Amino acid sequence: MVDVWWGLVERDAPGVYNWGGYTELLEMAKRHGLKVQAVMSFHQCGGNVGDSCTIPLPKWAVEEIDKDQDLAYTDQWGRRNYEYISLGCDTLPVLKGRTPVQCYSDFMRAFRDHFKHFLGDTIVEIQVGMGPAGELRYPSYPEQNGTWRFPGIGAFQCYDKYMLSSLKAAAEAAGKPEWGSTGPTDAGEYNNWPEDTQFFRKEGGGWTSPYGEFFLTWYSQMLLDHGERILSSAKATFENIGVKMSVKIAGIHWHYGTRSHAPELTAGYYNTRFRDGYLPIARMLARHGAIFNFTCIEMRDHEQPQDALCAPEKLVRQVALATREADVPLAGENALPRYDGYAHEQILQASSLNIDESSDDKEMCAFTYLRMNPNLFQPDNWRRFVAFVKKMKEGKSADRCWEQVEREAEHFVQASQPLVQEAAGALMH
C-alpha cells in the first residue's frame, strides 16, 4: 500500500504533476511481482496516529487557505484545521479557479494517464482519500497541539462560512430558519465525555430532540454527499481498467457503549443506539461498486479502557452486518501497529466474518497490515508475521494450529533473513 500524496505530486503549481519517486517504486513492485494498492491522499500527513513525517497540502492550495481561512474545517471556537479542505466548498471554484473536487478529479486522471501501463496488473486497487487520514469523516478529533486526547468525544466541524451557509439553507428548507445560524452550542468540548454535556447525555440529551435530529441528519448527509461527489469522479476515471476502488471509514469505537455514540456523531457518522449510521455509507459505496475499508480490526473490547465503554469488536460486527446487507465487499486494516500473535489472532477472527450463525463462506476481501518499519523486521516479530500471512492466505478453510504454521514459516524466515536485515537497515536510515 502506498500513499500518493497530493501535497508532494502537485506541490508547486496547479496542474503540474511530478510523479518521480512513484515511477521508481512501481517499477520495483512490478519487477518483484507485487500488487499495489495506491491511495489518492488528498490530506495532510502529520498530526494523526502513526504519522512520522509531515507533508502539507500543496503549497498553492495552502496559500489560498491562508487568504480565505473558511476553506479549512473550523470548530465553534474558531480553530482552523489545515489537514483537508472543508467539504463545504467542494463545488466552489476556490482553488485558483478550480473546485476542490475538480482538483481531486484532475489529479486522479493525471495518475491514470501517467501510470496506465501499470493499472490492472501491478496497480490493482485505488483507494480514494475523502478526508483527514484519508478517511471519509470530519477532523473531529485532531491530535496536533494536544487539542484532543483519547477518549474525548471530539467536536463538530461545521463553523466555516461555507458549511454554515449550507446549514442555513437546510434550516430554511425545513421551515425552521432559527436552526440555521449555528451548530449545537451545548455539545461540550473535545475532551469531554458524553455525560458532561447537555447535547450527548443519555437522558433528555439534545441529540434526541427535533433540532438534534435535524442537525445530525444534515451534518452526516453533507459527508455522504462529499463521498458521492468524489466517488462519481473516481469511478468515471478508473472504470473498465481492471482496478478496484475502495474508501476508508474510521473505526471510532470509544463511547460506543453509550446511547448517543458522541465521538461517531462529531466525526459525521449518524450512528446511535436507535439508528444505524453505517448502512447509508455502505449503500453509497455499493452504488459506485467501491469496497468498504474499515479500521480497528485488531482490537478486542477488553483491551480498551472499560470506563470509556469502548467496543471495537461490536463495532466491527455492526459494520460487517451493514456491508452484508448493502452487498458491498468489506476490507480491513489495523488501527495501531501491533506485532504480537494476540492481535494477529483477532485479525484472523475478524476477517473471517463469523458474525452470526448464517454466516456463509464470506470473508473480508482484503486486509492492509500497518506497518512496515524496523520493528516489523525484528526476528521474533518477523517470524510471527510470516506465520500470520500464511494463516491469512489459507483463510477460513484452515484448521491448523499456530505451532504447525510457525514451524513451516521457519523455512521462509531463514531464507529471507539476509534481505530482512537489509530492509531493516534501510528503514533505519
Side-chain angles (χ1 to χ4, degrees):
M1 181 271 250
V2 58
D3 285 290
V4 183
W5 295 104
W6 182 34
L8 286 181
V9 174
E10 199 180 350
R11 180 170 55 197
D12 297 320
V16 178
Y17 305 102
N18 171 8
W19 303 105
Y22 290 108
T23 307
E24 222 176 306
L25 185 65
L26 287 163
E27 294 286 3
M28 185 172 74
K30 189 183 173 84
R31 220 171 30 249
H32 291 287
L34 291 169
K35 305 289 180 208
V36 174
Q37 175 199 42
V39 184
M40 304 288 107
S41 293
F42 300 119
H43 60 287
Q44 154 191 302
C45 179
N48 278 302
V49 178
D51 286 347
S52 51
C53 64
T54 303
I55 299 167
L57 299 184
K59 215 166 52 193
W60 52 273
V62 173
E63 283 164 11
E64 296 304 302
I65 306 174
D66 285 340
K67 278 188 255 173
D68 174 6
Q69 293 215 320
D70 285 288
L71 301 183
Y73 280 121
T74 307
D75 65 19
Q76 71 187 81
W77 304 280
R79 246 176 304 211
R80 310 284 190 180
N81 186 315
Y82 274 46
E83 277 182 80
Y84 185 82
I85 292 168
S86 166
L87 61 79
C89 55
D90 268 358
T91 56
L92 303 170
V94 292
L95 294 177
K96 299 201 184 295
R98 287 187 298 167
T99 71
V101 171
Q102 272 172 330
C103 292
Y104 307 150
S105 219
D106 293 347
F107 183 88
M108 291 190 282
R109 235 189 344 269
F111 177 85
R112 177 199 67 194
D113 295 346
H114 191 85
F115 293 115
K116 55 178 175 287
H117 52 299
F118 289 109
L119 288 163
D121 177 25
T122 300
I123 301 169
V124 293
E125 184 181 323
I126 302 289
Q127 189 175 100
V128 189
M130 302 258 172
E135 296 166 335
L136 177 64
R137 65 172 175 87
Y138 294 100
S140 55
Y141 47 101
E143 294 200 59
Q144 53 210 105
N145 316 328
T147 304
W148 171 86
R149 288 183 309 282
F150 179 83
I153 56 176
F156 293 112
Q157 306 290 313
C158 57
Y159 292 87
D160 62 76
K161 69 181 184 203
Y162 302 105
M163 290 292 281
L164 286 173
S165 99
S166 158
L167 177 61
K168 185 171 187 284
E172 281 163 9
K176 293 282 189 183
E178 66 277 16
W179 287 351
S181 58
T182 174
T185 49
D186 56 356
E189 297 184 36
Y190 286 99
N191 294 308
N192 282 148
W193 286 36
E195 288 305 306
D196 301 336
T197 74
Q198 186 64 47
F199 190 77
F200 295 118
R201 65 181 196 184
K202 65 172 187 278
E203 295 297 346
W207 62 282
T208 58
S209 69
Y211 162 72
E213 287 175 16
F214 157 78
F215 173 79
L216 293 167
T217 301
W218 166 79
Y219 188 68
S220 59
Q221 190 59 48
M222 288 289 279
L223 192 63
L224 285 166
D225 293 347
H226 173 66
E228 190 92 49
R229 280 191 285 271
I230 299 180
L231 260 183
S232 302
S233 132
K235 188 176 179 183
T237 306
F238 295 111
E239 214 160 19
N240 305 325
I241 46 177
V243 294
K244 294 175 176 167
M245 277 195 320
S246 66
V247 172
K248 193 159 115 179
I249 310 297
I252 301 175
H253 57 83
W254 51 106
H255 302 295
Y256 182 86
T258 62
R259 285 185 202 170
S260 64
H261 293 235
E264 288 162 89
L265 299 183
T266 56
Y269 305 154
Y270 191 178
N271 189 52
T272 68
R273 183 160 302 173
F274 314 114
R275 187 181 191 283
D276 186 342
Y278 297 99
L279 193 53
I281 298 172
R283 287 190 172 134
M284 187 263 290
L285 298 182
R287 274 199 299 282
H288 296 281
I291 295 165
F292 190 124
N293 192 320
F294 196 61
T295 61
C296 86
I297 302 299
E298 84 287 11
M299 296 181 169
R300 296 183 197 232
D301 294 355
H302 72 79
E303 293 173 335
Q304 309 302 318
Q306 294 305 296
D307 51 350
L309 299 177
C310 300
E313 291 173 82
K314 291 187 188 70
L315 173 59
V316 168
R317 186 172 177 277
Q318 182 189 346
V319 165
L321 289 166
T323 54
R324 188 165 78 184
E325 187 172 331
D327 198 21
V328 67
L330 178 61
E333 56 182 65
N334 44 321
L336 304 170
R338 289 275 296 266
Y339 305 98
D340 57 291
Y342 199 57
H344 293 164
E345 189 60 60
Q346 182 62 20
I347 293 167
L348 282 157
Q349 277 294 323
S351 60
S352 68
L353 295 185
N354 292 324
I355 39 185
D356 55 25
E357 296 315 305
S358 68
S359 126
D360 40 25
D361 286 335
K362 274 209 150 155
E363 299 178 81
M364 277 190 185
C365 63
F367 181 80
T368 306
Y369 183 88
L370 304 188
R371 69 183 61 228
M372 183 150 73
N373 62 19
N375 284 334
L376 175 63
F377 295 113
Q378 284 173 356
D380 282 349
N381 290 349
W382 181 246
R383 184 175 292 109
R384 276 194 293 265
F385 178 71
V386 171
F388 163 66
V389 172
K390 273 182 78 70
K391 289 276 277 192
M392 284 293 268
K393 185 177 190 302
E394 289 168 4
K396 261 188 176 171
S397 54
D399 222 11
R400 300 176 314 131
C401 67
W402 274 102
E403 282 75 12
Q404 195 182 346
V405 178
E406 282 195 11
R407 269 201 305 279
E408 288 173 20
E410 196 56 45
H411 164 68
F412 294 98
V413 171
Q414 297 303 330
S416 58
Q417 209 62 50
L419 287 170
V420 168
Q421 276 156 350
E422 195 183 323
L427 284 166
M428 293 295 266
H429 302 309

